[in-house]
Amino acid sequence: MPIPEDVTGDEIDKDVRQELQSLPKTLADDVARNLVMVARLIDEDPEGAYGYSKVALRLASRVAAVREAAGFAAYASQKYNEALAEFRAARRMTGSVDLWPVMADCERGLGRPEKTLDMAGAPEVHKLDKAGQVEMRLVAAGARRDMGQLDAAIVTLQSPELASNAVQPWTARLRYAYADALLAAGRESEARDWFAKAVEADRDGSTDASDRLAELDGVEFVDALDENENENENENENNEDEGGNEDQRDDSAASADATAAQDDDKDDDKD
């Protein structure tokens, strides 16, 4: 797959670059450039990212970072079975539990929420850092909702991290998930309060909490671009109407001139 010339491979994380040092330099550079493309495309073009991840995987399947990148690309493309296989391979190579929450979410994607809940109660969860534990809580709550257990999902999200006033990288998503679960359970007033709290914590716009809050408040946003297009359309229609009126006036004037000429001819004949 083509790679832009400005992608050198030096853009990747230094830990990944260190992993690639086990490869011949030319091969390491090729793998690195493909991994850069995966990271660059994964949000906006998951299928494109998946394509580059397959190239990297073909070149260096024994590198844990490559297996992990392939897993995330497959996950973003909703290829959950393939993603789970790659994450398991990466975990075997590294012995790390960091991928445990996303592996559990793959089980959700495969329609196995019960398996997700089993993983949420596994010893591996206690080895996760705080961010990983919050992520696992979010995934478990999602599994509860998949099973129609709304009240259980709400309870799952209730935690010291949710109650804390401190803003952490996971705070906005946690508050948002809690608000969404409350709303699904018909607790609209509480949901509104938590969407508002999610907005306060969402400094990088990682959720659409502000839109959800506005929707609950009955606020309707008008797209400025659409508004301008409508104005232009109305202006064009007015111009067409004016042009049509001018044509009508011109036709009327021409008709009047022709009538006057005929009258003059009649007068001349009489004379």
Side-chain angles (χ1 to χ4, degrees):
M1 296 180 68
I3 298 177
E5 292 184 2
D6 65 314
V7 175
T8 65
D10 294 334
E11 301 89 341
I12 64 173
D13 185 85
K14 63 179 181 180
D15 292 335
V16 177
R17 170 61 73 178
Q18 188 171 0
E19 279 193 63
L20 296 179
Q21 287 181 354
S22 61
L23 303 173
K25 187 178 186 315
T26 301
L27 180 59
D29 289 342
D30 288 342
V31 174
R33 295 180 72 210
N34 278 281
L35 292 180
V36 171
M37 293 304 298
V38 172
R40 179 177 289 189
L41 297 176
I42 196 165
D43 291 329
E44 297 182 0
D45 182 11
E47 287 296 332
Y50 176 76
Y52 283 103
S53 76
K54 297 298 284 186
V55 175
L57 195 59
R58 188 171 65 249
L59 295 173
S61 61
R62 295 185 180 182
V63 176
V66 172
R67 303 303 289 265
E68 183 174 330
F72 277 110
Y75 177 79
S77 301
Q78 299 184 2
K79 298 175 175 62
Y80 298 115
N81 200 40
E82 188 173 339
L84 187 57
E86 296 301 339
F87 289 142
R88 284 172 175 166
R91 182 167 178 264
R92 285 195 300 269
M93 292 176 179
T94 63
S96 172
V97 297
D98 291 349
L99 295 171
W100 196 254
V102 71
M103 290 169 62
D105 204 37
C106 285
E107 296 288 359
R108 278 189 65 206
L110 292 169
R112 302 194 291 247
E114 297 87 353
K115 178 62 177 176
T116 299
L117 295 178
D118 288 343
M119 293 180 69
E124 284 83 353
V125 175
H126 301 293
K127 300 176 183 179
L128 295 168
D129 59 14
K130 182 63 66 178
Q133 291 178 5
V134 171
E135 191 65 34
M136 190 70 247
R137 192 177 291 274
L138 288 166
V139 172
R144 292 291 185 188
R145 291 189 63 173
D146 292 344
M147 298 169 69
Q149 302 173 1
L150 290 176
D151 290 339
I154 291 170
V155 172
T156 298
L157 293 168
Q158 292 171 346
S159 61
E161 293 81 20
L162 179 67
S164 175
N165 290 324
V167 175
Q168 302 292 345
W170 60 77
T171 302
R173 291 179 59 239
L174 182 59
R175 292 177 179 179
Y176 181 95
Y178 189 60
D180 194 45
L182 288 169
L183 187 61
R187 296 160 62 174
E188 185 172 314
S189 178
E190 294 174 83
R192 190 222 171 271
D193 292 341
W194 281 99
F195 275 126
K197 291 179 180 180
V199 170
E200 293 175 1
D202 195 1
R203 295 168 180 170
D204 59 356
S206 61
T207 73
D208 65 346
S210 59
D211 293 340
R212 300 292 299 278
L213 181 61
E215 183 180 347
L216 286 174
D217 289 342
V219 177
E220 184 176 349
F221 294 101
V222 177
D223 192 310
L225 183 59
D226 291 342
E227 195 173 57
N228 289 336
E229 288 178 352
N230 290 333
E231 289 179 358
N232 290 335
E233 288 177 1
N234 291 334
E235 184 177 341
N236 290 336
E237 288 176 0
N238 291 334
N239 289 337
E240 290 176 1
D241 291 341
E242 290 177 2
N245 292 335
E246 288 178 0
D247 290 341
Q248 290 177 359
R249 287 195 293 270
D250 290 343
D251 291 343
S252 298
S255 177
D257 291 342
T259 301
Q262 290 176 358
D263 291 341
D264 289 342
D265 290 342
K266 291 179 179 178
D267 291 339
D268 290 341
D269 292 340
K270 289 178 182 180
D271 291 340

Coordinates of all heavy atoms in Angstrom, one line a residue, residues 94-181:
T94 N 3.9 -10.3 25.8 CA 4.4 -9.3 26.7 C 4.1 -9.7 28.2 O 4.8 -9.2 29.1 CB 3.7 -7.9 26.5 OG1 2.3 -8.1 26.7 CG2 4.0 -7.5 25.1
G95 N 3.1 -10.5 28.4 CA 2.6 -10.8 29.8 C 1.9 -9.7 30.4 O 1.5 -9.8 31.6
S96 N 1.6 -8.7 29.7 CA 0.9 -7.5 30.3 C -0.6 -7.7 30.3 O -1.2 -8.4 29.4 CB 1.2 -6.2 29.4 OG 0.4 -5.2 29.8
V97 N -1.3 -7.1 31.2 CA -2.8 -7.2 31.3 C -3.5 -5.9 30.7 O -4.7 -5.8 30.8 CB -3.3 -7.4 32.8 CG1 -2.7 -8.7 33.3 CG2 -2.8 -6.2 33.7
D98 N -2.7 -5.0 30.2 CA -3.2 -3.7 29.8 C -4.4 -3.9 28.7 O -5.2 -3.0 28.7 CB -2.1 -2.9 29.2 CG -1.1 -2.4 30.2 OD1 -1.4 -2.6 31.4 OD2 0.0 -1.9 29.8
L99 N -4.3 -4.9 27.9 CA -5.3 -5.1 26.9 C -6.6 -5.8 27.4 O -7.5 -6.0 26.6 CB -4.7 -5.9 25.7 CG -3.6 -5.2 25.0 CD1 -2.9 -6.1 24.0 CD2 -4.1 -3.9 24.2
W100 N -6.6 -6.2 28.6 CA -7.7 -6.9 29.2 C -9.1 -6.3 28.9 O -10.0 -6.9 28.5 CB -7.5 -7.2 30.7 CG -8.4 -8.3 31.3 CD1 -9.5 -8.1 32.1 CD2 -8.3 -9.7 31.1 NE1 -10.0 -9.3 32.4 CE2 -9.3 -10.3 31.8 CE3 -7.4 -10.5 30.4 CZ2 -9.5 -11.7 31.9 CZ3 -7.5 -11.8 30.4 CH2 -8.6 -12.4 31.2
P101 N -9.3 -5.0 29.2 CA -10.6 -4.3 28.9 C -11.0 -4.4 27.5 O -12.2 -4.6 27.2 CB -10.4 -2.9 29.4 CG -9.3 -3.0 30.4 CD -8.4 -4.0 29.9
V102 N -10.1 -4.1 26.6 CA -10.5 -4.1 25.2 C -10.7 -5.5 24.7 O -11.6 -5.8 23.8 CB -9.4 -3.4 24.3 CG1 -8.2 -4.2 24.2 CG2 -10.0 -3.1 22.9
M103 N -10.1 -6.5 25.2 CA -10.4 -7.9 24.9 C -11.8 -8.2 25.4 O -12.5 -8.9 24.7 CB -9.3 -8.8 25.6 CG -7.9 -8.7 25.0 SD -6.7 -9.6 26.0 CE -7.3 -11.3 25.9
A104 N -12.1 -7.8 26.6 CA -13.5 -8.0 27.1 C -14.5 -7.3 26.2 O -15.6 -7.9 26.0 CB -13.6 -7.5 28.5
D105 N -14.2 -6.2 25.7 CA -15.1 -5.5 24.8 C -15.3 -6.2 23.5 O -16.3 -6.1 22.9 CB -14.7 -4.0 24.6 CG -15.8 -3.1 24.2 OD1 -16.9 -3.3 24.7 OD2 -15.6 -2.2 23.4
C106 N -14.2 -6.9 23.0 CA -14.3 -7.7 21.8 C -15.4 -8.8 22.1 O -16.1 -9.2 21.1 CB -13.0 -8.3 21.5 SG -11.8 -7.2 20.7
E107 N -15.4 -9.4 23.3 CA -16.4 -10.4 23.6 C -17.8 -9.8 23.5 O -18.7 -10.5 23.0 CB -16.2 -11.0 25.0 CG -14.9 -11.7 25.2 CD -14.8 -13.0 24.5 OE1 -15.8 -13.4 23.9 OE2 -13.8 -13.7 24.6
R108 N -18.0 -8.6 23.9 CA -19.3 -7.9 23.7 C -19.6 -7.8 22.2 O -20.7 -8.1 21.8 CB -19.2 -6.5 24.3 CG -19.4 -6.3 25.7 CD -19.6 -4.9 26.1 NE -20.8 -4.3 25.5 CZ -20.9 -3.0 25.2 NH1 -20.0 -2.1 25.4 NH2 -22.1 -2.6 24.6
G109 N -18.6 -7.4 21.4 CA -18.8 -7.2 20.0 C -19.2 -8.5 19.3 O -19.9 -8.5 18.3
L110 N -18.7 -9.6 19.9 CA -19.0 -10.9 19.3 C -20.4 -11.5 19.9 O -20.7 -12.6 19.6 CB -17.9 -11.9 19.7 CG -16.6 -11.6 18.9 CD1 -15.4 -12.5 19.5 CD2 -16.7 -11.9 17.4
G111 N -21.1 -10.7 20.7 CA -22.4 -11.1 21.2 C -22.3 -12.0 22.4 O -23.2 -12.8 22.6
R112 N -21.2 -11.9 23.2 CA -21.0 -12.7 24.3 C -20.8 -11.9 25.6 O -19.7 -11.9 26.2 CB -19.8 -13.6 24.1 CG -19.9 -14.5 22.9 CD -18.8 -15.6 22.9 NE -17.5 -15.1 22.7 CZ -16.7 -15.4 21.6 NH1 -17.2 -16.1 20.6 NH2 -15.5 -14.9 21.5
P113 N -21.8 -11.1 26.0 CA -21.7 -10.3 27.2 C -21.4 -11.0 28.5 O -20.8 -10.5 29.4 CB -23.1 -9.5 27.2 CG -24.0 -10.4 26.5 CD -23.2 -11.0 25.4
E114 N -21.9 -12.3 28.5 CA -21.7 -13.1 29.7 C -20.2 -13.3 29.9 O -19.6 -13.3 31.0 CB -22.4 -14.4 29.6 CG -23.9 -14.3 29.6 CD -24.4 -14.1 28.2 OE1 -23.6 -14.0 27.2 OE2 -25.7 -14.2 28.0
K115 N -19.5 -13.6 28.8 CA -18.0 -13.7 28.8 C -17.3 -12.5 29.3 O -16.4 -12.5 30.0 CB -17.5 -14.2 27.4 CG -16.0 -14.3 27.3 CD -15.5 -15.4 28.2 CE -14.0 -15.6 28.1 NZ -13.4 -16.6 29.0
T116 N -17.9 -11.3 28.8 CA -17.3 -10.0 29.2 C -17.4 -9.9 30.7 O -16.5 -9.4 31.4 CB -18.1 -8.9 28.6 OG1 -18.0 -9.0 27.1 CG2 -17.6 -7.5 29.0
L117 N -18.6 -10.2 31.3 CA -18.7 -10.1 32.8 C -17.8 -11.1 33.5 O -17.3 -10.7 34.6 CB -20.2 -10.3 33.1 CG -21.2 -9.3 32.6 CD1 -22.6 -9.6 33.0 CD2 -20.8 -7.9 33.1
D118 N -17.6 -12.2 32.9 CA -16.6 -13.2 33.6 C -15.2 -12.5 33.6 O -14.5 -12.6 34.6 CB -16.6 -14.5 32.8 CG -17.8 -15.3 32.9 OD1 -18.6 -15.1 33.9 OD2 -18.0 -16.2 32.1
M119 N -14.9 -11.9 32.5 CA -13.6 -11.2 32.5 C -13.5 -10.0 33.5 O -12.4 -9.7 34.0 CB -13.3 -10.7 31.1 CG -13.1 -11.9 30.1 SD -12.7 -11.3 28.4 CE -11.0 -10.6 28.6
A120 N -14.7 -9.4 33.7 CA -14.7 -8.2 34.6 C -14.5 -8.7 36.0 O -14.0 -7.8 36.9 CB -16.0 -7.5 34.5
G121 N -14.7 -9.9 36.3 CA -14.5 -10.4 37.7 C -13.2 -11.2 37.8 O -13.0 -11.8 38.9
A122 N -12.4 -11.3 36.8 CA -11.2 -12.0 36.8 C -10.1 -11.3 37.6 O -10.1 -10.1 37.8 CB -10.7 -12.3 35.4
P123 N -9.1 -12.1 38.1 CA -8.0 -11.5 38.9 C -7.2 -10.5 38.1 O -6.6 -9.6 38.7 CB -7.1 -12.8 39.2 CG -8.1 -13.9 39.1 CD -9.0 -13.6 38.1
E124 N -7.2 -10.6 36.8 CA -6.4 -9.7 35.9 C -6.8 -8.2 36.1 O -6.0 -7.3 36.0 CB -6.6 -10.1 34.5 CG -5.8 -11.3 34.0 CD -6.5 -12.6 34.3 OE1 -7.5 -12.6 35.0 OE2 -5.9 -13.6 33.9
V125 N -8.1 -8.0 36.5 CA -8.6 -6.7 36.6 C -7.9 -5.9 37.8 O -7.6 -4.7 37.7 CB -10.1 -6.7 36.9 CG1 -10.7 -5.3 37.2 CG2 -10.9 -7.3 35.7
H126 N -7.5 -6.7 38.8 CA -6.8 -6.1 40.0 C -5.4 -5.7 39.6 O -4.8 -4.9 40.4 CB -6.8 -7.0 41.2 CG -8.2 -7.4 41.6 ND1 -9.1 -6.5 42.2 CD2 -8.9 -8.6 41.5 CE1 -10.2 -7.1 42.5 NE2 -10.1 -8.4 42.1
K127 N -4.9 -6.2 38.5 CA -3.5 -5.8 38.1 C -3.5 -4.6 37.2 O -2.4 -4.1 36.9 CB -2.9 -7.0 37.4 CG -2.8 -8.3 38.2 CD -2.2 -9.4 37.4 CE -2.2 -10.7 38.2 NZ -1.6 -11.9 37.4
L128 N -4.7 -4.1 36.8 CA -4.8 -3.0 35.9 C -4.5 -1.7 36.7 O -4.8 -1.6 37.9 CB -6.2 -2.9 35.3 CG -6.6 -4.0 34.3 CD1 -8.1 -3.9 34.0 CD2 -5.8 -3.9 33.0
D129 N -4.0 -0.7 36.0 CA -3.9 0.6 36.7 C -5.3 1.3 36.8 O -6.3 0.7 36.3 CB -2.9 1.5 35.9 CG -3.3 1.8 34.5 OD1 -4.5 1.5 34.1 OD2 -2.5 2.3 33.7
K130 N -5.4 2.4 37.4 CA -6.7 3.1 37.6 C -7.4 3.3 36.3 O -8.6 3.0 36.2 CB -6.5 4.4 38.3 CG -7.8 5.1 38.7 CD -8.6 4.3 39.6 CE -8.0 4.1 41.0 NZ -8.8 3.4 41.9
A131 N -6.7 3.8 35.3 CA -7.4 4.0 34.0 C -8.0 2.7 33.4 O -9.1 2.6 32.9 CB -6.4 4.6 33.0
G132 N -7.2 1.6 33.5 CA -7.6 0.3 33.0 C -8.8 -0.2 33.8 O -9.8 -0.8 33.2
Q133 N -8.9 0.0 35.1 CA -10.0 -0.4 35.9 C -11.3 0.3 35.6 O -12.4 -0.3 35.5 CB -9.7 -0.3 37.4 CG -8.6 -1.3 37.9 CD -8.2 -1.1 39.4 OE1 -8.8 -0.3 40.1 NE2 -7.2 -1.8 39.8
V134 N -11.1 1.6 35.3 CA -12.3 2.4 34.9 C -12.8 1.9 33.6 O -14.0 1.8 33.4 CB -11.9 3.9 34.9 CG1 -13.1 4.7 34.2 CG2 -11.6 4.5 36.3
E135 N -11.9 1.7 32.7 CA -12.2 1.2 31.3 C -13.0 -0.2 31.5 O -14.0 -0.4 30.8 CB -11.0 1.0 30.5 CG -11.3 0.8 29.0 CD -12.0 1.9 28.3 OE1 -11.7 3.1 28.7 OE2 -12.8 1.7 27.4
M136 N -12.5 -1.0 32.4 CA -13.1 -2.3 32.6 C -14.6 -2.1 33.1 O -15.5 -2.8 32.7 CB -12.3 -3.2 33.5 CG -12.7 -4.6 33.6 SD -12.4 -5.6 32.2 CE -14.0 -5.9 31.6
R137 N -14.7 -1.1 34.0 CA -16.0 -0.8 34.5 C -17.0 -0.4 33.4 O -18.2 -0.7 33.4 CB -15.9 0.2 35.6 CG -17.1 0.5 36.5 CD -16.9 1.5 37.6 NE -15.9 1.0 38.6 CZ -16.3 0.3 39.6 NH1 -17.6 -0.1 39.8 NH2 -15.4 -0.2 40.5
L138 N -16.5 0.5 32.5 CA -17.3 0.9 31.4 C -17.7 -0.2 30.5 O -18.9 -0.3 30.1 CB -16.5 1.9 30.6 CG -16.3 3.3 31.2 CD1 -15.2 4.1 30.4 CD2 -17.6 4.1 31.2
V139 N -16.8 -1.1 30.2 CA -17.1 -2.3 29.4 C -18.1 -3.2 30.1 O -19.1 -3.7 29.4 CB -15.8 -3.1 29.1 CG1 -16.1 -4.4 28.3 CG2 -14.9 -2.2 28.2
A140 N -17.9 -3.4 31.4 CA -18.9 -4.3 32.1 C -20.3 -3.7 32.1 O -21.3 -4.4 32.0 CB -18.4 -4.5 33.5
A141 N -20.4 -2.4 32.3 CA -21.7 -1.7 32.3 C -22.3 -1.9 30.9 O -23.5 -2.1 30.8 CB -21.5 -0.2 32.6
G142 N -21.5 -1.8 29.9 CA -22.0 -2.0 28.5 C -22.6 -3.4 28.3 O -23.6 -3.6 27.7
A143 N -21.9 -4.4 28.9 CA -22.4 -5.7 28.8 C -23.7 -5.9 29.5 O -24.6 -6.6 29.1 CB -21.3 -6.7 29.4
R144 N -23.8 -5.2 30.7 CA -25.1 -5.3 31.4 C -26.2 -4.7 30.6 O -27.3 -5.3 30.5 CB -25.0 -4.5 32.7 CG -24.0 -5.1 33.8 CD -24.6 -6.4 34.3 NE -23.8 -6.9 35.4 CZ -24.0 -8.1 36.0 NH1 -25.0 -8.9 35.6 NH2 -23.2 -8.5 37.0
R145 N -25.9 -3.6 29.9 CA -27.0 -3.0 29.0 C -27.3 -3.9 27.9 O -28.5 -4.0 27.5 CB -26.5 -1.7 28.6 CG -26.4 -0.6 29.7 CD -26.2 0.8 29.1 NE -27.3 1.2 28.3 CZ -27.4 2.5 27.8 NH1 -26.4 3.4 28.1 NH2 -28.4 2.8 27.0
D146 N -26.3 -4.6 27.3 CA -26.5 -5.6 26.2 C -27.5 -6.7 26.7 O -28.3 -7.2 25.9 CB -25.2 -6.2 25.8 CG -24.3 -5.3 25.1 OD1 -24.7 -4.2 24.7 OD2 -23.1 -5.6 25.0
M147 N -27.5 -7.0 28.0 CA -28.3 -8.0 28.5 C -29.7 -7.5 29.0 O -30.5 -8.2 29.6 CB -27.6 -8.8 29.6 CG -26.3 -9.4 29.1 SD -25.3 -10.1 30.5 CE -26.3 -11.4 31.1
G148 N -29.9 -6.2 28.8 CA -31.1 -5.6 29.3 C -31.2 -5.3 30.8 O -32.2 -5.0 31.3
Q149 N -30.0 -5.3 31.4 CA -29.9 -5.1 32.9 C -29.5 -3.6 33.2 O -28.4 -3.3 33.6 CB -29.0 -6.0 33.5 CG -29.3 -7.5 33.3 CD -28.2 -8.5 33.8 OE1 -27.2 -8.1 34.3 NE2 -28.4 -9.7 33.5
L150 N -30.5 -2.7 32.9 CA -30.2 -1.3 33.1 C -29.8 -0.9 34.5 O -28.8 -0.1 34.7 CB -31.4 -0.4 32.6 CG -31.6 -0.5 31.1 CD1 -32.9 0.3 30.7 CD2 -30.4 0.1 30.3
D151 N -30.5 -1.3 35.5 CA -30.2 -1.0 36.9 C -28.9 -1.5 37.3 O -28.1 -0.8 38.0 CB -31.3 -1.5 37.8 CG -32.7 -0.8 37.6 OD1 -32.6 0.3 37.1 OD2 -33.7 -1.4 38.0
A152 N -28.5 -2.7 36.8 CA -27.2 -3.3 37.1 C -26.1 -2.5 36.4 O -25.0 -2.3 37.0 CB -27.2 -4.7 36.7
A153 N -26.4 -2.0 35.2 CA -25.4 -1.2 34.5 C -25.1 0.1 35.3 O -24.0 0.6 35.5 CB -25.9 -0.8 33.1
I154 N -26.2 0.7 35.8 CA -26.0 2.0 36.6 C -25.2 1.7 37.9 O -24.3 2.5 38.2 CB -27.4 2.5 37.0 CG1 -28.1 3.0 35.7 CG2 -27.3 3.6 38.0 CD1 -29.6 3.4 35.9
V155 N -25.5 0.6 38.6 CA -24.8 0.3 39.8 C -23.3 0.0 39.5 O -22.4 0.4 40.2 CB -25.4 -0.9 40.5 CG1 -24.5 -1.4 41.6 CG2 -26.8 -0.6 41.0
T156 N -23.1 -0.6 38.3 CA -21.7 -1.0 37.9 C -20.8 0.3 37.8 O -19.6 0.3 38.1 CB -21.7 -1.8 36.6 OG1 -22.4 -3.0 36.8 CG2 -20.3 -2.1 36.1
L157 N -21.5 1.4 37.3 CA -20.7 2.6 37.0 C -20.5 3.5 38.3 O -19.7 4.4 38.3 CB -21.4 3.4 35.9 CG -21.5 2.8 34.5 CD1 -22.4 3.5 33.6 CD2 -20.1 2.8 33.9
Q158 N -21.3 3.2 39.3 CA -21.2 3.9 40.5 C -19.9 3.5 41.2 O -19.7 2.4 41.6 CB -22.4 3.7 41.4 CG -23.7 4.3 40.9 CD -24.9 3.9 41.6 OE1 -24.9 2.9 42.4 NE2 -26.0 4.5 41.4
S159 N -19.0 4.5 41.5 CA -17.7 4.2 42.0 C -17.1 5.5 42.5 O -17.6 6.6 42.3 CB -16.8 3.7 40.8 OG -16.7 4.7 39.8
P160 N -16.0 5.3 43.3 CA -15.3 6.5 43.8 C -14.8 7.4 42.6 O -14.8 8.7 42.8 CB -14.1 5.9 44.5 CG -14.5 4.6 45.0 CD -15.4 4.1 43.8
E161 N -14.4 6.8 41.5 CA -14.0 7.6 40.4 C -15.1 8.5 39.8 O -14.9 9.6 39.4 CB -13.5 6.7 39.3 CG -12.2 6.0 39.6 CD -12.4 4.8 40.5 OE1 -13.6 4.3 40.5 OE2 -11.5 4.3 41.1
L162 N -16.4 7.9 39.8 CA -17.5 8.7 39.4 C -17.9 9.8 40.3 O -18.2 10.9 39.9 CB -18.7 7.8 39.2 CG -20.0 8.4 38.7 CD1 -19.9 8.9 37.3 CD2 -21.2 7.4 38.8
A163 N -17.7 9.6 41.6 CA -18.1 10.5 42.6 C -17.1 11.6 42.8 O -17.4 12.7 43.3 CB -18.3 9.8 44.0
S164 N -15.8 11.4 42.3 CA -14.8 12.3 42.5 C -15.0 13.6 41.7 O -15.5 13.6 40.6 CB -13.4 11.7 42.1 OG -12.4 12.6 42.2
N165 N -14.6 14.8 42.3 CA -14.7 16.0 41.6 C -13.4 16.3 40.8 O -13.4 17.2 39.9 CB -14.9 17.2 42.6 CG -16.2 17.2 43.2 OD1 -17.2 16.8 42.6 ND2 -16.3 17.5 44.5
A166 N -12.4 15.5 41.0 CA -11.2 15.6 40.2 C -11.4 15.2 38.8 O -12.1 14.2 38.5 CB -10.0 14.8 40.8
V167 N -10.8 15.9 37.8 CA -11.0 15.5 36.4 C -9.8 14.8 35.9 O -8.6 15.3 36.0 CB -11.2 16.8 35.5 CG1 -11.2 16.4 34.1 CG2 -12.5 17.5 35.9
Q168 N -10.0 13.5 35.5 CA -9.0 12.6 35.0 C -9.2 12.4 33.5 O -10.3 12.7 33.0 CB -9.0 11.3 35.8 CG -8.7 11.5 37.3 CD -7.3 12.0 37.7 OE1 -6.4 11.9 36.8 NE2 -7.2 12.5 38.9
P169 N -8.3 11.7 32.8 CA -8.6 11.5 31.4 C -9.8 10.7 31.1 O -10.4 10.8 30.0 CB -7.3 10.7 31.0 CG -6.2 11.2 31.9 CD -6.9 11.4 33.2
W170 N -10.2 9.9 32.1 CA -11.4 9.0 31.9 C -12.7 9.6 32.4 O -13.8 9.1 32.2 CB -11.2 7.7 32.6 CG -11.0 7.8 34.1 CD1 -12.0 8.1 35.1 CD2 -9.8 7.8 34.8 NE1 -11.4 8.2 36.3 CE2 -10.1 8.0 36.2 CE3 -8.5 7.6 34.4 CZ2 -9.1 8.1 37.2 CZ3 -7.5 7.6 35.4 CH2 -7.8 7.9 36.8
T171 N -12.6 10.8 33.1 CA -13.8 11.3 33.8 C -15.0 11.6 32.9 O -16.1 11.2 33.2 CB -13.4 12.6 34.6 OG1 -12.3 12.3 35.5 CG2 -14.6 13.1 35.4
A172 N -14.7 12.3 31.8 CA -15.8 12.6 30.9 C -16.6 11.4 30.4 O -17.8 11.4 30.4 CB -15.3 13.5 29.7
R173 N -15.8 10.4 30.0 CA -16.4 9.2 29.4 C -17.2 8.4 30.5 O -18.3 7.9 30.2 CB -15.4 8.3 28.8 CG -14.8 8.9 27.5 CD -13.7 8.0 27.0 NE -14.2 6.6 26.6 CZ -13.7 5.5 27.1 NH1 -12.7 5.5 28.0 NH2 -14.3 4.3 26.8
L174 N -16.7 8.4 31.7 CA -17.4 7.7 32.8 C -18.7 8.4 33.1 O -19.7 7.8 33.3 CB -16.5 7.7 34.0 CG -17.0 6.9 35.3 CD1 -17.4 5.5 34.9 CD2 -16.0 7.0 36.4
R175 N -18.6 9.7 33.3 CA -19.9 10.5 33.5 C -20.9 10.4 32.4 O -22.1 10.3 32.6 CB -19.5 12.0 33.8 CG -18.7 12.2 35.1 CD -18.3 13.7 35.2 NE -17.6 13.9 36.4 CZ -17.1 15.1 36.8 NH1 -17.3 16.2 36.0 NH2 -16.4 15.3 37.9
Y176 N -20.4 10.4 31.2 CA -21.2 10.3 30.0 C -22.0 8.9 30.0 O -23.2 8.9 29.8 CB -20.4 10.4 28.7 CG -21.3 10.4 27.5 CD1 -21.7 11.5 26.9 CD2 -21.6 9.1 26.9 CE1 -22.5 11.5 25.7 CE2 -22.3 9.1 25.7 CZ -22.8 10.2 25.1 OH -23.5 10.2 24.0
A177 N -21.2 7.9 30.3 CA -21.8 6.5 30.3 C -22.9 6.4 31.4 O -23.9 5.8 31.2 CB -20.7 5.5 30.5
Y178 N -22.6 7.0 32.5 CA -23.5 7.0 33.6 C -24.8 7.8 33.3 O -25.9 7.3 33.5 CB -22.9 7.6 34.9 CG -23.7 7.4 36.1 CD1 -24.0 6.2 36.6 CD2 -24.1 8.5 36.9 CE1 -24.7 6.0 37.8 CE2 -24.9 8.4 38.1 CZ -25.2 7.1 38.5 OH -25.9 7.0 39.7
A179 N -24.6 8.9 32.7 CA -25.8 9.7 32.2 C -26.6 9.0 31.2 O -27.9 9.0 31.3 CB -25.3 11.1 31.6
D180 N -26.0 8.3 30.3 CA -26.6 7.6 29.2 C -27.4 6.4 29.8 O -28.6 6.1 29.3 CB -25.6 7.1 28.2 CG -26.3 6.7 26.9 OD1 -27.2 7.4 26.4 OD2 -25.9 5.6 26.4
A181 N -26.8 5.8 30.8 CA -27.5 4.6 31.4 C -28.8 5.1 32.2 O -29.8 4.5 32.2 CB -26.6 3.9 32.3

